[in-house]
Amino acid sequence: MNAHYPNMLAPLDLGFTSLRNRVLMGSMHTGLEEEKGGYHKQAAFFAARAKGGVGLIVTGGIAPNYAGRVHAFASQLSFPWQVKHHRIVTDAVHAEGGKICMQILHAGRYAYHPISVAPSKIKSPITPFKPFALSARGIRKTVRDYANCAALAQKAGYDGVEVMGSEGYLLNQFLCARTNKRDDDYGGSLENRARLPLEIVRAIRAKVGDNFIIIFRLSMLDLVEGGNDWDEVVQLAKWLEQAGVTIINTGIGWHEARIPTIATSVPRAAFAGITERLRGEVSVPLIATNRINTPEVAEQILSSGQADMVSMARPLLADADFVVKSEAGQRQQINVCIGCNQGCLDHTFKMKRATCLVNPLACYETDLHLTPDSSGRTVAVVGAGPAGMAAACYAAERGFDVTLFEARDELGGQFNLAAKIPGKEEFQETLNYYRNRLKQFGVTVKLNHSANCEELKQFNERIIATGVVPRVPPIEGIERANVVTYQQVLRGEVEVGQRVALIGAGGIGFDMAEYLSEAHQSPTLNAPKWLAQWGVDLAYQQGAGLSERDPSAFESAREIYLLQRKSTRPGKDLGKTTGWIHRAVLKDRQVKFVTGANYHKVDDQGLHISQEGKSSLIAVDTVVLCAGQESNRSLSEQLTAAGVSFSLIGGAELAAELDAKRAIRQALEAVVAL
Ligand code: FAD
Ligand code: NAP
Ligand code: SF4
């Protein structure tokens, strides 16, 4: 028994096979599935996670037929000639001692192509195509296609399949009255609505025999009107067990639900309680999911009996060695997923290859290599924001002798400020990771040290990551005491009044509006409160897990105006999968959005603006500048003037559209190039 996380690291006996621990790497579409040479890239990606000790891997979703593809070019497994491609992946995982299941995903009405099918002809609110209702013949063919797909997966060497039955995809659409309006044997009563998923499970079991894992991802909390109630969920789980599933995984929320389920602001393990409710109702192992991102959270879920396994998808993108580091008692060395979605889901939704903000090597295992260097070269890294800290760690990992200079008295740069925003507490994990990593690699860290040109000449290599400074727009009265920058506010250097105008509605403007309007402790740190605020009821008093929202969700600590000069929708450039959450929170708190603003002056009365030629006063006590950033280039300009070579990364290189994802990735690329 492992002394550190005994429950998480305990094997799980499935009768015909055993898993080495309780960590499931949950299904994630990475985009490698559809890339040229993608099977080799997937093989390297999954093999790294198998080597890192994960108990069972589930691949991204693969369609059982054309209609089921998520988009026209998405992956499908239907033909014997495709088996050899999947072999590349399964062989690589098995060579590292891992086990892997293939997820079978039929998108139903979520398919992004015109020949999508569903139980009934009802368009989803998040896709443009109206689906065709499956005919009785179409249903029979779908069952055969699933069974065929699973049999091919078995031939390809997978240890099992996961049948995707949640998140609002086809089988979930059949299971719920919301989308199933059929009047034949596949609609109406629960028994009828469950008929297709159960026929599929039985057909798969009949094809693959007893010694093959079948996981069913069951929606335990639909979070949409017309979703199933708790008694129905329990009944479904029992029928699935009888039909022959090996494990039941938890699904939370349809994609069209307007409740966050995995974003960074969702409290850790917020939904584990729903998996716990199902324990005792069935005897197959149950997997808890969503916002489980550290070994201690996983251990807590397992030791308190909430589940038999935990699913972590994004945390395994962030750190392939999550499990082996846990085993070795190296919790502080784990690169924790911060739930930002910026490198993973946001990429997937834009049809870009997934990666990870905190680990740009993820999904680039065959493209980027940190090869060891024994030249003994010295490397100076200037600036200890995300770009500089990452560069120093990567350079030390390659074997260089690294010195990191930071002008302030702490590491972290702007990321320290980001971590102060309610809902972004998780960012502290990244700061801790880098602090520990710098120590582990013996990087010389010089705080309170503004590096200068002369001392930098002594090094063989220089990486300049001096970041950004807030832009101060030329507005009359900008120098007044009632005008402050977001940095001053977040560093606690200034008082902010009750009525506030924020100049600039970018990512930081939105974050500042959340920070200044938060009337209580961050709900992210209080799961029951957070669930109540979003109207989630794990006790299922009203069906589908929805309830009246807690009134505190609508309270604001201040009267806030969020302004921008553009006339476009505020927050339109925020993250694809998280922007809606920020917009919803500010709307709940009655933050007033002002677009098309021309700023004239600030005086004792507040901020004077005009819109479409019409002047007005926004009567506020404090004006906070969130008007973007400018690169801090003074050092790099001096180096250039002195003819000293260097690489420039992060905000110092380009302030526009800077985020930590780009900063860290540029750090990796600069170090790979050394
Ligand atoms: P910086 O973080 O600016 O770091 C530069 C460092 O260099 C500073 O510590 C500075 O003191 C130091 N320095 C400067 N000159 C010298 C010198 N001569 N010698 C030594 N040291 C020097 N990004 C995201 O991706 N997602 C988010 O959700 C997100 N939220 C944010 C929320 C807020 C409130 C803020 C403020 C930022 C947020 N960001 C977010 C942006 C992110 O923090 C920045 O993109 C990132 O910090 C930029 O990294 P950097 O290393 O290039 O620069
Ligand atoms: P930003 O997103 O570029 O927004 C800057 C804002 O300032 C805009 O609203 C802009 O709108 C306004 N502005 C620009 N120049 C101005 C001027 N001269 N006078 C007045 N207003 C001006 O930058 P940011 O908000 O500072 O964020 C910095 C980076 O951090 C972002 O690029 C973002 O990627 C990252 N970040 C990300 C998140 C996230 O959740 N992913 C959160 C926070 C920060 P107008 O030009 O229309 O006025
Ligand atoms: Fe986690 Fe963000 Fe990385 Fe996605 S990009 S895996 S959410 S840290």
Side-chain angles (χ1 to χ4, degrees), residues 314-315 317-318 336-345 355-359:
R314 296 172 301 165
L317 264 187
V336 173
C337 164
I338 57 174
C340 64
N341 285 355
Q342 287 174 240
C344 50
L345 268 190
T355 183
C356 173
L357 180 143
V358 299
N359 176 20

Side-chain angles (χ1 to χ4, degrees), residues 5 295-296 319 325-326 329-336 429 432-437 440:
Y5 305 101
E296 62 275 11
D319 199 329
K325 287 179 181 172
S326 303
Q330 296 170 343
R331 160 68 177 91
Q332 301 312 321
Q333 310 296 341
I334 294 178
N335 199 359
V336 173
E429 287 284 352
N432 290 343
Y433 168 75
Y434 281 123
R435 284 186 203 115
N436 293 324
R437 199 98 174 134
Q440 184 197 356

Side-chain angles (χ1 to χ4, degrees), residues 424 471 473 504-508 511 565-566 626-629 658-659:
K424 289 194 174 176
R471 178 182 289 125
I508 291 178
D511 274 356
R565 297 172 303 177
K566 292 184 281 289
C626 312
Q629 328 282 325
L658 169 70
D659 61 10

